[in-house]
Amino acid sequence: MNLRRLFSRSRSAPAARDRLQLLLAHERAAVGGSDLLAKLRDEILGAIAKHVQIDGDKVSIKMERGAQVSTLAVDIEIPFEAAKKAA
Amino acid sequence: MGKVIVVTSGKGGVGKTTSSAALGAALAHDGAKVVVVDFDVGLRNLDLIMGAERRVVYDLVNVIQGEAKLTQALIRDKRLETLYLLPASQTRDKDNLTAEGVEKVINALKSVFDWVICDSPAGIERGATLAMRHADIAIVVTNPEVSSVRDSDRIIGLLDSKTVKAESGERMEKHLLLTRYDPARAERGDMLKVDDVLEILSIPLLGIIPESMDVLRASNLGTPVTLADQRSVPSVAYFQAARRLNGEDIPMIIPGEKRGFFGKMFGRKAA
Ligand SMILES: Nc1ncnc2c1ncn2[C@@H]1O[C@H](COP(=O)(O)OP(=O)(O)O)[C@@H](O)[C@H]1O
Ligand SMILES: [Mg+2]
């Protein structure tokens, strides 16, 4: 056992508690049907689908659930043809 | 074409999820393109062990039900570019996993990744049988303890009868991963010996992972133990198991045995 390793390591339980509290807050909201991030995701995709037919493989969605702020990033490739037609 | 591995055991709490994450990360660290798939629908945990729980957008059930594309459900690891996670659904029922749906997903993953690692739920029901269904290789995770060995034997029976490989008359490649091995208890003679377990189950040994604080610490932090501290005892054991999967011939070390003076003094704490 490397002593420096032993002492330099901070305790991991507080990290576990913080991660769990954050995760469970979001999960409970999801079970209660009030997962805002998922709702926004679906509505944004629905709004786009009204105007252009897009290939699911060309839509990349990223989420990051945070304690104070969450982020939702929707990245869509819209073909030039589709954009012209819709205009 | 990539290889499909199922990490299975029958019994819960033996270390399937820990091992799926650790082996997946070890293989990816050594350069392979790896996806770990959580089959524990309703009780997902692989996302938490991999530290990706805040980034789940879609899951396996969404993909199977056609609500999302596979590429949209895959989460890329923040530490390793070639490591991906396909999370299980937390809110949906496991009846949403259809045999055809699972087959499609596995085939699609196989064409892109070198390794597709399926983390099986406990039990012998639908989730567990679907997780093993398309496997080329099975890793049977076993603790040196009577009920775990018995359940592993049951699972080996299923691997040899209920998988696509078995049904088409081929032999399923099976490996034993002995986890939560406690060198101190082994020394006292209160734990099944490695040789005993091997003799009873008679499948080749892939590795021995000691019971270790490092595993607990890594799961607290959401880091596969093989990425947390690569010199820790369980990490080294998992890396060696991963290299054996790749066909390398690495001598097996039984934790706690053939230790030198310092090993005897400090080995137990290290493990
Ligand atoms: N080698 C080990 N040393 C210490 N604890 C371990 C080890 N392997 C697994 N565990 C712990 O055992 C528990 C169950 O592990 P997990 O991987 O979730 O099992 P399963 O997926 O088979 O149900 C977890 O708390 C995990 O941290
Ligand atoms: Mg598990």
Side-chain angles (χ1 to χ4, degrees):
Chain A
M1 183 90 212
N2 182 328
L3 286 183
R4 211 178 56 214
R5 245 175 76 207
L6 185 70
F7 289 115
S8 68
R9 207 147 39 179
S10 56
R11 285 174 305 146
S12 63
R17 184 203 53 214
D18 292 349
R19 291 175 63 222
L20 275 173
Q21 275 177 342
L22 173 61
L23 174 66
L24 294 182
H26 283 286
E27 267 186 13
R28 286 172 187 152
V31 169
S34 55
D35 183 359
L36 179 62
L37 222 52
K39 206 175 282 173
L40 288 173
R41 173 194 71 196
D42 294 344
E43 285 183 14
I44 289 170
L45 291 183
I48 293 161
K50 264 192 250 161
H51 298 282
V52 279
Q53 200 189 353
I54 32 173
D55 179 354
D57 283 324
K58 301 281 158 64
V59 183
S60 142
I61 306 160
K62 292 209 168 82
M63 289 181 179
E64 178 116 24
R65 295 163 202 275
Q68 309 302 327
V69 192
S70 293
T71 59
L72 169 66
V74 183
D75 198 327
I76 309 172
E77 269 180 42
I78 298 165
F80 182 55
E81 280 307 312
K84 228 169 39 183
K85 237 186 275 169
Chain B
M1 225 19 147
K3 289 226 167 111
V4 182
I5 299 180
V6 61
V7 179
T8 185
S9 72
K11 193 170 174 3
V14 294
K16 290 180 293 298
T17 300
T18 303
S19 300
S20 299
L23 289 172
L27 288 166
H29 182 270
D30 288 345
K33 216 169 165 206
V34 181
V35 60
V36 282
V37 185
D38 192 345
F39 271 85
D40 210 341
V41 173
L43 287 172
R44 75 166 172 227
N45 268 326
L46 194 52
D47 56 333
L48 199 53
I49 298 307
M50 308 250 317
E53 74 278 3
R54 299 193 296 139
R55 298 195 291 133
V56 175
V57 182
Y58 292 114
D59 56 56
L60 178 60
V61 169
N62 290 137
V63 176
I64 284 176
Q65 301 281 314
E67 296 153 358
K69 291 276 178 160
L70 184 56
T71 47
Q72 296 177 324
L74 288 171
I75 304 172
R76 178 194 252 173
D77 188 84
K78 285 209 164 157
R79 297 146 297 213
L80 291 179
E81 280 215 335
T82 57
L83 179 60
Y84 287 77
L85 164 71
L86 181 56
S89 171
Q90 184 69 341
T91 48
R92 306 279 280 275
D93 199 81
K94 60 179 178 314
D95 295 338
N96 286 299
L97 290 183
T98 62
E100 311 78 64
V102 169
E103 181 176 1
K104 255 199 209 155
V105 168
I106 297 285
N107 281 337
L109 291 174
K110 236 162 83 162
S111 67
V112 179
F113 290 94
D114 299 319
W115 297 100
V116 180
I117 301 180
C118 305
D119 179 21
S120 174
I124 50 171
E125 307 299 321
R126 189 181 189 79
T129 51
L130 281 177
M132 69 169 67
R133 180 103 195 116
H134 302 281
D136 301 305
I137 302 168
I139 296 178
V140 180
V141 180
T142 307
N143 295 162
E145 170 264 316
V146 287
S147 56
S148 173
V149 174
R150 179 202 204 171
D151 290 358
S152 291
D153 190 62
R154 183 81 199 277
I155 280 293
I156 290 171
L158 291 180
L159 288 166
D160 286 336
S161 61
K162 292 283 165 66
T163 53
V164 172
K165 268 234 144 119
E167 285 171 5
S168 57
E170 283 176 71
R171 207 186 59 85
M172 165 77 72
E173 182 181 332
K174 299 178 290 289
H175 299 274
L176 179 73
L177 188 63
L178 204 57
T179 58
R180 313 203 65 169
Y181 183 87
D182 186 336
R185 282 204 286 155
E187 214 162 298
R188 284 202 309 270
D190 288 331
M191 199 174 60
L192 279 170
K193 287 224 165 65
V194 176
D195 285 343
D196 298 338
V197 181
L198 282 175
E199 196 191 318
I200 295 167
L201 295 178
S202 59
I203 58 173
L205 185 61
L206 184 68
I208 306 167
I209 315 297
E211 175 78 16
S212 165
M213 275 294 293
D214 290 294
V215 171
L216 183 66
R217 203 173 286 122
S219 69
N220 278 344
L221 300 173
T223 312
V225 69
T226 42
L227 297 184
D229 178 352
Q230 282 168 28
R231 291 163 311 165
S232 74
V233 183
S235 173
V236 170
Y238 274 122
F239 264 103
Q240 290 184 346
R243 286 168 58 195
R244 289 187 192 105
L245 273 177
N246 268 319
E248 281 185 57
D249 188 11
I250 300 165
M252 190 75 62
I253 297 162
I254 300 180
E257 277 186 18
K258 294 200 199 97
R259 271 202 242 108
F261 173 69
F262 284 101
K264 279 220 169 70
M265 276 187 72
F266 300 113
R268 272 180 216 173
K269 279 210 187 92

